[in-house]
């Protein structure tokens, strides 16, 4: 079974977007280099960011996200992000009306159901959990093995928190990866058990 990794780009003060869901400049690092990160021709990063990010993207089998992220991205037009095979959406609502039932999206009610479905679909590949409310809930429930942060040099002051509305203290190990790219600091922490 693969590991479960909570991941997102984040401001230095811990926000993944402004209150209105605008991520502002936290994704500048994805277009601030000259090394293509994917086949889109849009994402170009530094060599250091490529060497850190591309292998990680290649190991992801499933992404777990909340319904809010699904809705504001228009369901990624029916294709999971970053070349991922499947997306598991945590929601109390059914799939949108007219949604293609053959699209590799799975709508589940609750984080435990999401973790179980994602592990089933991912096999020995990594399950990625989008940071925010769902990611924070999964961390609090002990379902996350690792936290990855792509820290952008911006201070939001307020907005959507990386760990959502998580309560209580949760310990991480010392960072086992610290990599500087253009407009980003990549960090990786194992969750202390």
């Amino acid at each position: 079974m693969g590991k479960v990794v909570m991941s997102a780009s984040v401001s230095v003060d811990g926000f993944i977007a402004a209150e209105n869901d605008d991520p502002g400049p936290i994704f500048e690092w994805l277009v601030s280099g000259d090394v293509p990160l994917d086949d889109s021709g849009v994402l170009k990063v530094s060599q250091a960011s490529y060497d850190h990010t591309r292998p990680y993207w290649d190991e992801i089998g499933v992404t777990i996200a909340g319904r809010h992220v699904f809705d504001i991205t228009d369901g990624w037009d029916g294709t999971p992000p970053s070349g991922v095979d499947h997306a598991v959406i945590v929601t109390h609502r059914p799939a949108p009306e007219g949604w293609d039932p053959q699209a590799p999206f799975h709508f589940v009610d609750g984080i435990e159901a999401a973790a179980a479905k994602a592990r089933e679909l991912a096999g020995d590949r990594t399950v990625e959990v989008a940071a925010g409310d769902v990611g924070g809930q999964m961390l609090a429930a002990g379902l996350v093995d690792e936290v990855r942060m792509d820290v952008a040099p911006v201070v939001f002051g307020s907005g959507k928190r990386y760990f959502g509305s998580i309560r209580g203290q949760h310990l991480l190990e010392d960072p086992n990866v610290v990599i500087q790219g253009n407009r980003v600091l990549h960090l990786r922490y194992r969750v202390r058990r």
Side-chain angles (χ1 to χ4, degrees):
M1 177 172 59
K3 61 188 169 190
V4 177
V5 178
M6 183 174 171
S7 179
S9 292
V10 60
S11 67
V12 294
D13 58 342
F15 297 99
I16 55 176
E19 291 294 343
N20 66 355
D21 296 316
D22 182 356
I26 65 171
F27 292 124
E28 274 184 10
W29 72 273
L30 287 165
V31 294
S32 67
D34 53 7
V35 181
L37 188 56
D38 63 10
D39 295 332
S40 72
V42 175
L43 303 181
K44 292 184 179 179
V45 297
S46 67
Q47 187 66 53
S49 289
Y50 178 88
D51 292 345
H52 173 73
T53 304
R54 186 72 254 168
Y56 170 65
W57 282 11
D58 291 341
E59 73 184 41
I60 300 169
V62 178
T63 293
I64 298 174
R67 181 62 180 258
H68 181 70
V69 170
F70 174 85
D71 287 344
I72 64 173
T73 61
D74 292 323
W76 298 281
D77 294 324
T79 303
S82 306
V84 175
D85 296 334
H86 296 272
V88 175
I89 308 302
V90 180
T91 181
H92 300 296
R93 296 180 282 146
E97 193 169 314
W99 183 255
D100 178 1
Q102 301 304 312
F105 286 76
H106 311 270
F107 298 86
V108 298
D109 186 8
I111 58 169
E112 288 83 7
K117 184 64 175 177
R119 284 189 174 121
E120 170 193 327
L121 293 165
D124 62 354
R125 296 181 71 199
T126 295
V127 171
E128 180 181 55
V129 180
D133 285 329
V134 168
Q137 290 171 36
M138 290 189 69
L139 178 69
L143 299 171
V144 173
D145 301 310
E146 186 177 286
V147 172
R148 291 174 69 108
M149 303 174 109
D150 300 313
V151 183
V154 60
V155 175
F156 278 0
S158 66
K160 308 288 176 121
R161 299 175 57 83
Y162 182 93
F163 292 102
S165 57
I166 194 171
R167 299 281 184 247
Q169 185 178 79
H170 300 275
L171 296 176
L172 307 175
E173 298 295 342
D174 287 340
N176 61 334
V177 171
V178 179
I179 296 172
Q180 182 177 346
N182 295 348
R183 306 292 303 154
V184 66
L185 182 62
H186 302 287
L187 302 173
R188 188 169 72 198
Y189 303 87
R190 288 188 184 102
V191 175
R192 187 180 289 181
R193 302 277 186 218

